[in-house]
Amino acid sequence: MASRAVLPFLVGMMLLTGVCNTLLSKYQDLQCVRNCDSTNPDEIERFSQPVIQTAQMFIGEMGCWLVIGAFALYRRFVPPQTPLFAGGYQEVSSDDSTEVEPEDELGPISSAQEQADPVVKPLVPNADDRIPLVGWRVFLLAMPACCDIAGTTLMNVGLLFVAASIYQMTRGALILFVGLFSVIFLRRRIFFYQWSALFIVVAGVAVVGLAGAIAPNPQAQPIPPVPPPMKELSTLSVREASQQLKIAAVNSGALQTVLGVLMIAGAQVFTATQFVLEEWILEQYALEPLKVVGWEGTFGFLVTLVGMIILHLAVGRTDAGRNGYFDMREGWREITHYRAIAVTSVLIMISIGGFNFFGLSITRSVSATARSIIDTCRTLFIWIVSLGLGWESFKWLQILGFALLVYGTFLFNDIVRPPLKACVVRHKPEPLLEEEPIEHM
């Protein structure tokens, strides 16, 4: 079948765009924007604009409207009999003598989205029997968009201080908060072995963070001030020496790595909240998945733009905030004056738009096992490319943390069996999020 033949291409493109999202963002963070010719590493400054990177993500999501418009034109000018839209709208016969059976011998008739070709699944409403999400109800999607703003900005800040692979692995903590919030707010049930799996995920994130803290990568974070040598410290008083050591410790790569890991893990609280809100909204209303991304991108960009202006006026233009995260003018100058940053920004927008489209195309066309394997391959590819580019060093402890993350995730999603027979459940657990949302970056 053509629909099955296109799945490997969709999976490959989802992997490619997903890997590019993280690697391009890290490459952008590594670009020098000030004092690049200085022989003193303390004076070198790199691109550090996490709020602008959040705006880039939402512009990429807004690009989904271009795909929606292109498919609308395709539907208008191409005959509906084309196989691309098989399973979509079909004209109902006016012959009263024709009886339509709601079910056949094999079971209930599947929905239009389940019957649709994988390529057009993002353009088919998520349900046939729910109220369309139109009019003022569309503004409900502003709530998950605001959560996306907070989560993405925190992750962008965390990426400044950690290697790309540690960043991607730490994002695996999302399953912990999705599980907790699904139980608390959506009244889902989690079995004992699934709770154990969540603890294994937490342990995996902790080991990954420990690996980064023990052997931090200089390329992964802004260059810290060089501590004075021990001979120089010996000439200082005890108080002065202790102060120098405290300053060196605060600015050390280990503490910066721990801070980055905590920020990325904490950002998963907002991402999990976003997923739960999307689930709550789409359980009641019907809307094409790609339009959900488009509307969230629109709301997210508008809110981010307003926030950028307010923060620039309140913080960015002050002496303390100049050249910082909220200096909107400096961020725009860096993008327009450095070609590598500008080109990377465009590529990030394209890759994020593509990742959302390809991800939504396969999310209901493949099994949970396949989706988990795709996520694992994405992390592995990011790690391999980062090692090949020299952005980070190989750490055996990181392998242990990654193995715990993968095992905990697979155990939670029933891909591997619990080690104890007493933990095996006879019936298949219900999914935590039936609408199966995907991460937007």
Side-chain angles (χ1 to χ4, degrees):
M1 290 178 61
S3 61
R4 289 297 174 186
V6 80
L7 276 179
F9 171 76
L10 296 175
V11 171
M13 291 304 297
M14 181 185 175
L15 270 175
L16 176 63
T17 53
V19 170
C20 287
N21 289 345
T22 299
L23 293 179
L24 288 172
S25 296
K26 188 61 189 178
Y27 175 79
Q28 196 172 54
D29 292 340
L30 294 176
Q31 298 307 302
C32 178
V33 295
R34 195 175 294 105
N35 304 324
C36 300
D37 297 329
S38 175
T39 57
N40 184 1
D42 300 349
E43 298 177 355
I44 297 176
E45 297 183 28
R46 297 192 179 106
F47 183 79
S48 301
Q49 297 291 338
V51 182
I52 290 180
Q53 289 178 321
T54 299
Q56 289 175 176
M57 184 200 71
F58 286 121
I59 293 174
E61 291 182 9
M62 289 170 61
C64 293
W65 289 114
L66 298 176
V67 179
I68 294 170
F71 271 95
L73 293 174
Y74 188 90
R75 280 197 179 105
R76 181 173 182 178
F77 295 107
V78 177
Q81 288 80 14
T82 176
L84 180 63
F85 296 100
Y89 172 79
Q90 295 180 356
E91 184 178 358
V92 179
S93 174
S94 59
D95 187 2
D96 295 334
S97 62
T98 303
E99 295 183 1
V100 179
E101 296 293 336
E103 297 185 2
D104 56 17
E105 295 180 358
L106 298 178
I109 296 177
S110 56
S111 66
Q113 190 178 78
E114 292 172 342
Q115 296 178 5
D117 190 280
V119 177
V120 296
K121 277 183 183 290
L123 296 155
V124 179
N126 60 307
D128 303 329
D129 56 351
R130 299 173 189 171
I131 303 172
L133 189 63
V134 294
W136 65 268
R137 296 185 181 91
V138 171
F139 287 92
L140 291 172
L141 294 174
M143 294 188 296
C146 290
C147 294
D148 203 4
I149 293 172
T152 302
T153 304
L154 274 176
M155 285 191 288
N156 287 335
V157 175
L159 183 58
L160 293 171
F161 304 114
V162 300
S165 64
I166 292 179
Y167 162 85
Q168 193 65 36
M169 292 179 190
T170 306
R171 291 178 63 178
L174 174 63
I175 191 174
L176 167 67
F177 299 108
V178 169
L180 291 176
F181 292 169
S182 298
V183 171
I184 296 172
F185 300 109
L186 299 178
R187 305 301 180 186
R188 301 289 196 262
R189 182 184 177 186
I190 292 182
F191 295 95
F192 174 76
Y193 76 92
Q194 291 177 309
W195 285 112
S196 302
L198 294 180
F199 283 110
I200 294 174
V201 168
V202 172
V205 172
V207 172
V208 168
L210 180 62
I214 291 176
N217 300 290
Q219 299 91 343
Q221 53 217 329
I223 299 176
V226 180
M230 295 306 296
K231 289 184 178 179
E232 188 175 327
L233 285 175
S234 63
T235 62
L236 301 175
S237 65
V238 175
R239 173 179 291 183
E240 290 174 336
S242 63
Q243 289 177 348
Q244 292 286 346
L245 289 174
K246 286 180 181 179
I247 293 174
V250 169
N251 292 286
S252 67
L255 290 182
Q256 287 184 341
T257 299
V258 172
L259 176 63
V261 169
L262 290 176
M263 296 186 76
I264 297 167
Q268 306 316 306
V269 174
F270 296 100
T271 304
T273 305
Q274 173 193 349
F275 280 10
V276 171
L277 285 172
E278 288 177 350
E279 178 77 8
W280 175 73
I281 294 170
L282 296 178
E283 277 184 341
Q284 306 175 60
Y285 301 101
L287 185 66
E288 295 88 334
L290 203 61
K291 286 187 178 180
V292 173
V293 177
W295 279 118
E296 288 188 10
T298 302
F299 292 134
F301 176 74
L302 293 176
V303 174
T304 302
L305 182 61
V306 173
M308 287 171 64
I309 295 173
I310 294 174
L311 289 170
H312 174 75
L313 296 175
V315 180
R317 65 176 183 175
T318 63
D319 292 336
R322 189 167 289 113
N323 299 334
Y325 296 162
F326 306 121
D327 191 342
M328 188 177 177
R329 179 181 300 175
E330 173 62 19
W332 177 252
R333 186 196 70 82
E334 292 173 0
I335 290 177
T336 55
H337 281 69
Y338 296 92
R339 183 178 179 181
I341 296 176
V343 172
T344 306
S345 294
V346 175
L347 293 177
I348 288 173
M349 296 175 196
I350 295 173
S351 67
I352 285 177
F355 178 73
N356 281 275
F357 174 76
F358 295 119
L360 291 171
S361 296
I362 69 170
T363 186
R364 296 194 177 186
S365 301
V366 299
S367 65
T369 302
R371 290 196 298 272
S372 296
I373 293 174
I374 291 170
D375 290 338
T376 302
C377 291
R378 178 188 178 188
T379 304
L380 276 176
F381 289 157
I382 290 172
W383 194 3
I384 293 172
V385 174
S386 297
L387 289 171
L389 294 174
W391 290 357
E392 54 183 288
S393 58
F394 182 80
K395 308 176 186 69
W396 286 104
L397 191 59
Q398 193 173 348
I399 292 183
L400 174 61
F402 181 60
L404 289 172
L405 279 170
V406 172
Y407 178 73
T409 303
F410 281 17
L411 179 61
F412 186 87
N413 291 327
D414 297 300
I415 298 173
V416 298
R417 293 175 62 87
L420 301 177
K421 291 185 178 181
C423 297
V424 178
V425 294
R426 295 183 178 179
H427 59 280
K428 185 178 180 180
E430 62 176 337
L432 294 182
L433 302 176
E434 295 181 358
E435 298 301 325
E436 300 174 347
I438 66 166
E439 295 182 82
H440 292 180
M441 62 174 289

